[in-house]
Amino acid sequence: MQRLARALTEVFSPTVVVSVFLLTTGAVSDGWRGFGFAMLAALFTAVGPFAGILLATRLGKVSDHHIGNRRQRLPVLLAAMVSGVLGLVILLLLGAPRVCIVGLLSVIFGMVLVGAVNTFWKLSVHVSVVTFAAVASVLTLGPGFLPALVIPAAVGWSRVKLGDHTTAQVLAGIPAGCIVAMAYAGFL
């Protein structure tokens, strides 16, 4: 069971989920053009910040690539937000499709929301992000994505099973993700 829990945690990590969500919604809404802009959005909101986390982990500045130590999360989230804002400016200047702009803004909003909670408590970022992606997919892409709603439960189980979060911290990620998803769907 530990192996399954670790696999779920890695496969549905925030970097992977944000990237896949942005790429999928970009491609579905605007074909290859949307996919290209979504790649740029993912670079600034997920891939680039994750590369920074890996470097910080290697240098001993953070505990691990999931940043299990809550006190280490705020500086990482702030750096990721700065990267996201830079990406937003570039997308706006290049005339990116609305779905890519709204997707990037939603990721930044999620970082602000989770960052605010994580200044005093350790909310599950994994569950928050996967809940956002699942709910936003159902709201904007249709009922064919309803099966995605079971993914947050599986990821939540994995985070508790691995001892990375308590049940309360996992459950708190659900409304955080729903808030961001509703904002995303509302601005499309």
Side-chain angles (χ1 to χ4, degrees), residues 21 131-149 185:
F21 178 79
T131 299
F132 154 69
V135 172
S137 294
V138 171
L139 292 174
T140 60
L141 300 175
F145 284 84
L146 280 170
L149 295 176

Side-chain angles (χ1 to χ4, degrees), residues 45 73-74 76-85 88 103-121 123 125 128-129 176-177 179-180 183:
T45 59
R73 288 180 171 197
L74 186 58
V76 172
L77 278 170
L78 290 174
M81 281 188 268
V82 168
S83 179
V85 170
L88 176 63
L104 196 146
L105 281 169
S106 297
V107 173
I108 294 170
F109 173 52
M111 287 183 213
V112 170
L113 181 62
V114 168
V117 173
N118 278 337
T119 59
F120 62 90
W121 196 54
L123 175 141
V125 177
S128 177
V129 170
I179 290 167
V180 178

